[in-house]
């Protein structure tokens, strides 16, 4: 835990190093959420759909980062995490010339009573 999802606009696919960003996100989770590094699971999902922000459908890119975590973290820890992730996104994903990049981070408590996970070695 946590489960981290990064949704990003399709045309950003070649503009950033997902592995490097994923490792950096995991490090921030360890720092702010006091979790074990091996518990951090980050996935990237390319959004092939059109991005529409406000009244503009052209020239818009979007990156949304969701952290699903077990309850018990303070509001300060969550706020610190979101601020650090926003800064990290600015480092890894500069806006392309002539385009507008929208970024957002959400940290959500999940129901630890209904979550199960395991690791299988082959």
């Amino acid at each position: 835990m946590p489960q981290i999802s990064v949704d990003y606009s399709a045309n950003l696919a070649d503009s950033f190093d997902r592995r490097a960003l994923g490792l950096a996100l995991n490090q921030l989770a360890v720092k702010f959420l006091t979790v074990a590094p091996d518990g951090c699971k980050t996935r990237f999902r390319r959004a092939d759909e059109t991005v529409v922000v406000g009244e503009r459908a052209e020239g818009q890119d979007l990156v949304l980062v969701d952290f699903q975590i077990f309850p018990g973290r303070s509001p300060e820890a969550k706020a610190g995490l979101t601020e650090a992730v926003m800064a990290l996104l600015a480092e890894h994903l500069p806006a392309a010339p002539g385009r507008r990049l929208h970024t957002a981070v959400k940290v959500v408590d999940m129901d630890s009573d209904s979550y199960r996970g395991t690791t299988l070695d082959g």
Side-chain angles (χ1 to χ4, degrees), residues 10-104:
N11 75 302
L12 295 173
D14 296 328
S15 66
F16 72 105
D17 182 343
R18 286 175 291 286
R19 179 173 172 70
L21 179 57
L23 290 170
L25 287 169
N26 290 354
Q27 290 171 351
L28 289 177
V30 168
K31 177 180 177 181
F32 286 94
L33 302 176
T34 317
V35 296
D38 287 345
C40 300
K41 297 166 184 74
T42 301
R43 76 173 164 200
F44 289 83
R45 298 182 292 208
R46 187 172 98 170
D48 291 324
E49 294 84 17
T50 300
V51 173
V52 177
V53 178
E55 296 178 341
R56 296 178 59 182
E58 299 299 321
Q60 307 288 317
D61 295 319
L62 187 62
V63 178
L64 305 174
V65 181
D66 290 322
F67 283 76
Q68 294 184 53
I69 64 173
F70 289 146
R73 282 22 178 252
S74 71
E76 295 80 15
K78 293 177 188 178
L81 175 62
T82 58
E83 291 300 321
V85 171
M86 291 297 288
L88 186 68
L89 293 175
E91 291 175 28
H92 284 261
L93 290 151
R99 300 190 64 82
R100 180 174 284 167
L101 175 62
H102 301 269
T103 59

